[in-house]
Structures are given as structure tokens and as C-alpha cells.
Amino acid sequence: MDKIKIVIVGYGNVGRGVMKAIDANDDMELVGIASRNPARVQKEVTSVPVVFMDDVATWKKELNVDVAILCGGSKDDLPVQGPAISKHVCTIDSFDNHSCIPQYFATMDENTKAAGTAAAVSIGWDPGIFSLERVLASAFLPGSKADGFYGLSESGGLSMGHSDALRTIAGIKDARQYTHAIPEAIDRVRNGKSPEFNAGDMHWRECFVVLEDGADKEAIEAEIKAMPAYFEPYKTTVNFISQEELDSKYSGFPHDGCVVASGITGEANKATIEYRCTWESNPEATANVLVAHARAISRMFKEGKTGAFTILDIPPAYLSQYSQAELLKNFM
Amino acid sequence: MDKIKIVIVGYGNVGRGVMKAIDANDDMELVGIASRNPARVQKEVTSVPVVFMDDVATWKKELNVDVAILCGGSKDDLPVQGPAISKHVCTIDSFDNHSCIPQYFATMDENTKAAGTAAAVSIGWDPGIFSLERVLASAFLPGSKADGFYGLSESGGLSMGHSDALRTIAGIKDARQYTHAIPEAIDRVRNGKSPEFNAGDMHWRECFVVLEDGADKEAIEAEIKAMPAYFEPYKTTVNFISQEELDSKYSGFPHDGCVVASGITGEANKATIEYRCTWESNPEATANVLVAHARAISRMFKEGKTGAFTILDIPPAYLSQYSQAELLKNFM
């Protein structure tokens, strides 16, 4: 069987995760990495060619690429790279700016249909797996409401977006932000209260901050807590620590979360559905989900399907490394 | 919008649940019930016609049926009814004899393709939702192994099959069997041991038995514990109680369960996925899942798709009561 030939676009934490994930899937093969700075990445990666990101038509052809996995960020990278690259080759991305997904999907759908390619968009654990679980819960328990919680473990889950936001503040040298779910809120959903939560009812935020020399602790703590959307609606704690402590205790990328839905069946019988995942490495977990979708999109494209797809549009068997006969025998 | 017109085939606990589930879904309409004994069922149900099960071609046409939801058992009913009814109309069933699913699927696939109909087979929570979660876990965590556990709550989960098995024993007047998961086994999976379990390592069985007058307690307890497959491999407890106590304390149909998978991402980062559902009424929960699949099969059939499908072959959006625009905006 021909292996699915994959290019990684953007070699950050998720891109590195995709590289490892491809190794764990026998039906796939990494054929190259596309970067804005190929010379820098080629120093680290010697096993495959590193090509210039913008030369899509060239590397698509020369590397015989089936699928490009876009590992850039949702703010600046994907809105440009998604349409530009999917003009030439099937793509997978993890566009995760929830409120902009309808617009991004429409752009990608129009673009890929015109180009005769296929794209899986907004793939990962949320949006992605959690989106799927929300849809399943609402289909199986009409009238129920599913809520997502993040940072269930005692140490919470590392939020890259909030860590980046902290580092934009003048006087902050380095920082990490851990999100914590509020257990009582999860219990309220489990108990079928279908509560209408404000953001601050569901999560609190724990910051570990390294200051620049001479920075004003109190002013910075106040600035963090007042940052709109990121910290203002939440209970937020700020811990000032040394760079050494940050590097030794908070250098990983752990995260976890759950989707909880509660509803009824029949007239009044209670029903609860809960999906939970725990990742020691959040970017590697995202990478694994992206890679499974590369398999699905490659299959769908071979069947002649074009356009944009979310996880909701893909028959789950297409994600699997197993044949239909194996799935019927061992998984049903 | 035309409502999806549904006939319930077989009016037992699941059939009653389907009737209530259709009420909770605005895009569906119950148009009839098909029974082996229409006169008996018509006494209970006055809102729709009750027709004779075997007159499929007639009721399909007269009631203008889109989908028949087959609510019979896997042992004797579905192997006959599935092929016979899906010759005429799209069907949904909950065939749950796991080892026979490949054969049943093949029969239904051949049958429906020849007839130009579509069928969703082996739909419910296991097989069904749990099958889907096993496949997703193995796709996202290659090399992981997912295990299913049933009866997580303190009181366990009611097993109809095992209750029926108890009632086949001479001297037993009535009985209920509650399945209990063994928590240490769940923890072993969560902790990434990927253990190879024997059946008795994962669950134990609790029986509540009402004896006929003069029956031999000790002989019956021994006979239960020696019953192959059903009880012999498990730790089993037998409690003899009165019919009154059975009726008052053990008349519901509660069940719950989880799928747990543990694996790694990258080189050695731990990852755990867990799906859990809790039903106060197991047959109503199964009914809700069947009804969502009636929506999916009706849509797929309208698009010209024929043949047999499991939950693994159906894009999840097809199960949803919401439009693509609503799903992109509110669920992604």
C-alpha cells in the first residue's frame, strides 16, 4: 500500500508533535517540512528536506505531497496559510478561534471546492474531539446542554494563549498560565442543573511570572488581573518566581479537560454523558488528532470528495488505521 | 419541512422508549407500530395504528414510512426481522451480539444494497457509542487499547440478558442481575498498564432472586454460579428476596459504563481518554440513540446512499437536529 505522504507546515511545538505522530502510524510518511526559515529548521531536521513555505506549487509537486498539516497559529498564520496552501494540496489545520470558525470554514470550503482539493479545518481536541462530543450528546439527549471544562487535575492545564498574553505585558520576562476548572461547576452540570454560567463561574487562572529587573510587582499584578477577556472575568492568582523555578517546574505542556452533558430520556429519567481527556503533552495530543485526520482527508480525496470538512462531516471509520473488517470484528 | 415518518417494530421496553424519544425530536413523527400481536398493543396505544409485523410492504406503503426502528432482541428477532423488513424500508436496529456483528452486517449490507434501502445496524451504547469511542481512541492514540466497563455506580447496572438467564433456571420465579465494574481494573487501564484482562477481572455480578415455593436455595445458587459464560467466570453473589422486595427496590432499568483508553503521545508522554455515560433508563437511552440514527439514515437515503452502516460509517453531523450553520456556530 502506498503510504500517505505528508508535509508539516510550521515547525513549532505542534509541528514537532506531528513528526513523532507520523512515526507512530505505519500508513504515513513524512516527506518534508515547509517553513518560513528553512535554513534554521534544516539545522535541526536532517531526515527530510525543509522547503520554503510559500513555494507551495513547487514542493507539492517535487515531494509528491498528499496532505499538508498546517501547524501555525490561528491568529496570524492560518487565515493566510489555509487558503494559500489548500489551493494546491489537501490540508489539515487546527484553526481554534471559535467565534471565527463559520467564516474560516466558508472561506476554506469555497477555496478548496474551486481548487479541487479537500481540507479538514478546526481539528484538535477543542475545537475537534470536544465539538464532536457536544454534537453527539445533543443528538442523543435532545434539550441537554454540554459544557466544556479545562484543567481538571490539581496542577491545572497549561494555556499557551494566556501564557503568551502575560508575556506581552511590559516588565514580564517570562510566564506560564495554568487554567483550573471549578469542580463545583462541573458537579452542577452533572447534577442536571443545565446552569447558565459566566466565564468566571467555570474556571480560575493561575499565573507564574518571572519579572524583569526592577519591575513593579503590584502594578503588574493589577495589570494582569485587569486584562479584558484573558483575566478580567476570572479569579486570577499571580505568583512571582525565578526563571530557574519556572524552567524546572513549569516547562511541560500538560492539559486536560472534559465535556459534560446532562439531560433526560423518556419523561424524567436522568442521563449524563461525560468525555474526558488528559494529555501530558497538549501539542503532541493535538498533533495525533491532526494526523488521524490526514488519513481521513486522504481517503475522502481519493474518493473524489472536495471542499472543507470538520470532524462532524467525517465518518469516524475514515480516521482509523484499521480496515472495515477489523473494525467490525474488534471494535464494534 | 417534512417530518421523518417512523414505525416502531416491536413494542417492548425499547419500543416504548422510542415512542417517547420521537416526541422529543421535532423533525420526527411516529406513524405506526408493527407488532406480532397488533390487537394486544392497540389496547395500550391509541394514538397511531398498530399493524401486523409481517405485512411490511403493506404498512410501508399505507403509512408512508421513511424508517422502521427495529426494537426486537438480537437472539431471535433481529436475524429474521432485519433482512425481512429492510427489503422494503430503511431500518435501524440494535443488534448487540458482538461476535456475530460481522456476519449480521454482511447480510444486511447485501440485502439493503439489493433492495435499494439503507440500514443502520448495531446501534445503541455498546455496540454503538462505545464502539465509536473505541475507534476514536485507537485512531488518536495508536497502540493504545480501550476497555469497556459497565456498572460503575454503587448499585451497579441492570443486565437484562443476565436477568433473563437467571429466569431460565427451574425453581426461580423472578430475578434481576446487576453488573458491577471492578474499580481497581479501571484504575489499571487509566494508569497505562494496558492489561490483558480475563472477564472476571473486570466485573462481578450481583443477583436478586425470587424462588418458587419449595425450591432448593443451595442447589439454585450453585447452578447460577456454574452457568457458563453468564456467571461461571465471574465473582457472583446471590441474594434471595421476596417478590415484593424485588418489585419495590429493583424494578428500574439503570445502567452506566465507561470506555477507558490509555496510551502515549510522542516518545513517552502519557495520554488518557475516558468516555462515561449514566442512564437511569437503559432502554430509553438506547431508544434515544436509535432515533438519532433514524435521522441520519433518512438523510443518507435521500442522498442516494444504500447499504448497511454502523455508527462508524456515518458523519456525526447527520445525527444532529441542527443545521450545518448552527453546528459551526454553536458546537465547534
Side-chain angles (χ1 to χ4, degrees):
Chain A
M1 191 186 68
D2 279 349
K3 293 195 177 194
I4 301 163
K5 294 182 175 58
I6 294 177
V7 157
I8 293 169
V9 181
Y11 195 65
N13 290 320
V14 172
R16 287 179 175 81
V18 167
M19 195 161 174
K20 295 173 191 167
I22 291 169
D23 269 349
N25 286 280
D26 293 339
D27 57 344
M28 303 196 188
E29 180 184 0
L30 180 68
V31 295
I33 293 171
S35 168
R36 274 199 210 86
N37 189 341
R40 183 181 58 76
V41 176
Q42 193 78 76
K43 279 183 200 156
E44 189 181 336
V45 177
T46 54
S47 56
V48 292
V50 182
V51 296
F52 183 56
M53 193 179 280
D54 291 356
D55 299 336
V56 189
T58 308
W59 54 252
K60 172 3 182 165
K61 194 174 169 196
E62 288 183 356
L63 301 175
N64 195 20
V65 179
D66 293 310
V67 180
I69 301 185
L70 313 187
C71 302
S74 298
K75 189 162 172 287
D76 300 318
D77 300 329
L78 294 175
V80 178
Q81 293 171 10
I85 296 175
S86 66
K87 270 201 177 65
H88 300 276
V89 62
C90 294
T91 59
I92 315 294
D93 70 59
S94 60
F95 184 84
D96 67 357
N97 185 338
H98 288 265
S99 65
C100 300
I101 288 175
Q103 177 57 50
Y104 182 74
F105 180 89
T107 302
M108 290 294 285
D109 193 43
E110 190 181 358
N111 187 73
T112 48
K113 278 181 178 149
T117 57
V121 307
S122 298
I123 302 301
W125 59 287
D126 194 358
I129 312 176
F130 277 22
S131 318
L132 169 60
E133 298 294 344
R134 286 189 282 264
V135 170
L136 293 176
S138 78
F140 299 149
L141 299 177
S144 70
K145 185 171 149 287
D147 284 292
F149 293 90
Y150 312 91
L152 311 174
S153 72
E154 206 179 328
S155 51
L158 180 80
S159 166
M160 292 300 289
H162 289 81
S163 301
D164 290 343
L166 289 175
R167 286 187 289 255
T168 63
I169 293 175
I172 291 184
K173 187 178 163 201
D174 202 354
R176 293 291 181 113
Q177 194 270 183
Y178 289 75
T179 304
H180 293 266
I182 296 177
E184 294 73 20
I186 304 179
D187 284 338
R188 285 176 66 196
V189 182
R190 281 193 194 119
N191 293 334
K193 309 282 186 221
S194 283
E196 287 298 326
F197 289 118
N198 294 312
D201 300 334
M202 300 172 74
H203 298 96
W204 64 277
R205 302 196 174 279
E206 184 180 30
C207 308
F208 296 94
V209 173
V210 180
L211 292 176
E212 304 276 10
D213 286 345
D216 178 341
K217 268 190 192 183
E218 284 177 22
I220 284 178
E221 179 162 342
E223 187 174 348
I224 292 171
K225 290 183 174 175
M227 195 184 265
Y230 281 95
F231 295 103
E232 182 274 319
Y234 300 93
K235 179 194 143 192
T236 299
T237 65
V238 181
N239 307 281
F240 295 103
I241 61 175
S242 67
Q243 185 74 54
E244 292 67 36
E245 188 177 355
L246 190 79
D247 293 344
S248 69
K249 288 193 191 162
Y250 306 103
S251 65
F253 301 93
H255 218 321
D256 60 356
C258 64
V259 173
V260 185
S262 181
I264 60 160
T265 64
E267 279 124 28
N269 283 310
K270 204 186 142 192
T272 312
I273 291 173
E274 187 164 336
Y275 180 89
R276 178 183 289 239
C277 55
T278 310
W279 317 120
E280 254 180 29
S281 169
N282 183 6
E284 286 178 2
T286 300
N288 275 24
V289 180
L290 289 169
V291 163
H293 282 79
R295 175 183 293 121
I297 283 294
S298 154
R299 289 178 179 172
M300 292 166 76
F301 181 68
K302 275 189 190 151
E303 290 177 3
K305 294 191 175 74
T306 61
F309 302 87
T310 70
I311 191 171
L312 307 177
D313 306 311
I314 297 172
Y318 282 66
L319 298 166
S320 178
Q321 63 273 57
Y322 298 107
S323 68
Q324 188 188 45
E326 288 169 316
L327 292 175
L328 286 169
K329 183 163 181 280
N330 301 324
F331 287 85
M332 286 299 298
Chain B
M1 191 185 68
D2 279 353
K3 293 194 176 194
I4 301 163
K5 293 182 175 58
I6 294 177
V7 156
I8 292 168
V9 180
Y11 195 65
N13 290 321
V14 174
R16 287 178 177 82
V18 168
M19 195 161 174
K20 294 174 192 166
I22 291 169
D23 269 349
N25 286 279
D26 292 341
D27 57 344
M28 305 197 188
E29 179 184 2
L30 180 69
V31 296
I33 293 170
S35 167
R36 273 198 211 86
N37 189 340
R40 182 181 58 75
V41 176
Q42 194 77 75
K43 279 183 200 153
E44 190 182 335
V45 177
T46 54
S47 55
V48 292
V50 182
V51 296
F52 183 56
M53 193 180 281
D54 291 354
D55 298 336
V56 189
T58 307
W59 54 251
K60 189 316 191 191
K61 195 174 166 197
E62 290 184 353
L63 301 176
N64 194 20
V65 179
D66 293 309
V67 180
I69 300 185
L70 313 187
C71 301
S74 298
K75 190 162 172 286
D76 301 319
D77 300 330
L78 295 175
V80 178
Q81 294 171 9
I85 296 175
S86 65
K87 270 201 176 68
H88 301 276
V89 62
C90 294
T91 59
I92 315 294
D93 70 59
S94 59
F95 184 84
D96 67 357
N97 186 337
H98 288 263
S99 65
C100 300
I101 287 175
Q103 177 58 50
Y104 182 73
F105 180 90
T107 303
M108 289 295 285
D109 193 45
E110 188 180 3
N111 186 74
T112 48
K113 278 181 177 150
T117 58
V121 306
S122 298
I123 302 301
W125 58 286
D126 195 357
I129 311 176
F130 277 22
S131 318
L132 169 59
E133 298 294 345
R134 286 188 282 265
V135 170
L136 293 177
S138 79
F140 299 149
L141 299 177
S144 70
K145 185 172 150 287
D147 284 292
F149 294 90
Y150 313 92
L152 311 175
S153 71
E154 206 179 329
S155 51
L158 180 81
S159 167
M160 291 300 290
H162 289 81
S163 300
D164 290 343
L166 289 173
R167 286 188 288 254
T168 63
I169 293 175
I172 290 184
K173 189 179 161 199
D174 202 353
R176 292 291 180 112
Q177 194 269 186
Y178 289 76
T179 304
H180 292 265
I182 296 176
E184 294 74 19
I186 304 180
D187 284 337
R188 284 177 64 196
V189 183
R190 281 193 194 119
N191 294 333
K193 309 281 187 222
S194 284
E196 287 297 326
F197 290 118
N198 294 313
D201 301 332
M202 299 172 74
H203 298 96
W204 64 278
R205 302 195 173 279
E206 184 180 31
C207 307
F208 296 93
V209 172
V210 181
L211 292 176
E212 305 274 9
D213 287 345
D216 179 340
K217 270 191 189 182
E218 283 178 21
I220 284 178
E221 179 162 341
E223 187 173 347
I224 291 171
K225 290 183 174 175
M227 194 183 267
Y230 282 95
F231 296 104
E232 181 275 319
Y234 300 93
K235 178 193 146 195
T236 299
T237 64
V238 181
N239 306 281
F240 295 103
I241 62 175
S242 68
Q243 185 74 53
E244 292 68 37
E245 189 177 354
L246 191 78
D247 293 344
S248 69
K249 289 193 193 163
Y250 305 104
S251 64
F253 301 93
H255 217 321
D256 61 356
C258 63
V259 173
V260 185
S262 182
I264 59 159
T265 63
E267 277 124 28
N269 283 310
K270 205 185 142 191
T272 311
I273 291 173
E274 187 164 337
Y275 180 89
R276 177 183 288 240
C277 55
T278 310
W279 317 120
E280 253 179 32
S281 169
N282 182 6
E284 287 179 0
T286 300
N288 275 25
V289 180
L290 289 169
V291 163
H293 282 80
R295 175 183 294 123
I297 283 295
S298 154
R299 290 179 178 172
M300 292 166 77
F301 181 68
K302 276 189 190 152
E303 291 178 3
K305 294 192 175 74
T306 62
F309 302 87
T310 70
I311 192 171
L312 307 177
D313 306 312
I314 298 173
Y318 282 67
L319 299 165
S320 178
Q321 63 273 55
Y322 298 107
S323 68
Q324 188 190 42
E326 288 170 316
L327 292 175
L328 286 169
K329 182 165 182 280
N330 301 323
F331 288 84
M332 286 299 297

